Amino acid sequence: MNLHEYQGKELLSSFGVRIQRGIVAQNADEAVTAAKKLTEDTGTGWHVIKAQVHAGGRGKGGGVKLAKNLDEVKSIANDIIGMDLVTPQTSAEGKRVHQVLVAEDVYYPGDSEPEEYYMSVLLNRGTGRNMIMYSTEGGMDIETVAEETPHLIFTEEIDPATGILPFQARKVAFNLGLSGAAFKDMTKFVTSLYTAYVKSDSSLFEINPVLKTSDDKIMAVDAKVTLDANALYRHKDLAELRDKREESPIEVEAGELGLNYVDLDGNVGCMVNGAGLAMATMDLIKQAGGEPANFLDVGGTADAKRVEAAFRIILKDPAVKAILINIFGGIVRCDRVAQGVVDAYKNMGDAINVPIIVRLQGTNADIAKELIDSSGLDVMSATEFQEAADKVQAVLA
Ligand code: GDP
Ligand code: MN
């Protein structure tokens, strides 16, 4: 589950990570009030107005702007709230901005130049350990840095038994070229950042940029936080931070029906029991020359009610031109699933307007095939995986 920047920063701050301070605002008047409050608290005269959407690259898309007085705060907030922000990470239509973060300007002049770094915390799946990835090249796409100057990206793996050790925090500060007060502050920053990552059961922290201010303070200017959805049951307070407006409406609806659904770009709708089989089914569709329109795991009990819910979700995607149902009857009997498909189909009447190919394999597969074939509905049956994929291609041709 992704958080907004302002929520991510609050989470970091609660673990002692220094952040660029800010207040979230839903409209231009609230933005002005927020700016006044920040001036009282921090002494800042300038503010940055930052669009709060679940997408990076907001700066490039015009979603992050500097305001030098309250009139500018008001007019910039007015412009950004309600806009459809297009960034390198959104679709061409962009994402609607509902709120902005009014933040203190932290790029103020001083004894030294402010400097930007990159830092993330994530799981290295190769070694099964968390790692801190960091670079002197902050503020730019880390993908570009990885491509053009990979030697400027460092990683530090953390032993889960000890957590981050002081020498590791010092190594990070050293590799970033820091000294004096900034060196010390960085060791504190990276240690509390790592602790926040573990304690919040996150799966990704990406702080780009981490800033060294002109008076040698280290702070998070941006925060991309992804929480592990499977661990939210033990973080009720964090679970409440979910903003459904940022998610695909079909995926939200599917989740409420207990279906595990991911929207994709193709035209073959998929209904499968089990996540592994669902992924294998998508591979098979691709091998046969098609493109899956979705990932959908209907779970173990594929009865008429669930099948019908799954049909309705799949058909919400206008790109779907055929549906492939792939069920393995292990605990669930194939004939019961076949009956579910037939019942759901009959219930839905004209709502089903694309051909359906069903492949049932396992317990009572022969009875299931007979049920489908004698139903008189526009449903084709198959027993082999390949046969099913070929039939899908045939109806699309
Ligand atoms: P992103 O574009 O979505 O990654 O959003 P960021 O939060 O990283 O902000 C984009 C850019 O805005 C940063 O790289 C900074 O250069 C700039 N920025 C952020 N905060 C400040 C600030 O306090 N003052 C100034 N002048 N620029 C800022
Ligand atoms: Mn950023």
Side-chain angles (χ1 to χ4, degrees), residues 5 9 20 44 46-53 55-61 63-66 85 87-89 101 103-108 116 138-141 206-209 211 219 221-223:
E5 175 196 358
K9 281 176 164 171
Q20 172 194 43
T44 183
W46 292 5
H47 300 87
V48 252
I49 314 298
K50 312 180 78 177
Q52 298 298 288
V53 289
R58 294 164 302 163
K60 283 183 197 133
V64 178
K65 291 213 162 105
L66 184 67
L85 181 62
T87 86
Q89 294 184 14
L101 178 63
E104 59 173 332
D105 169 37
V106 286
Y107 287 62
Y108 45 82
E116 296 179 323
M140 16 194 313
D141 281 345
E206 188 176 49
I207 317 299
N208 189 19
L211 187 74
M219 66 168 67
V221 166
D222 194 4

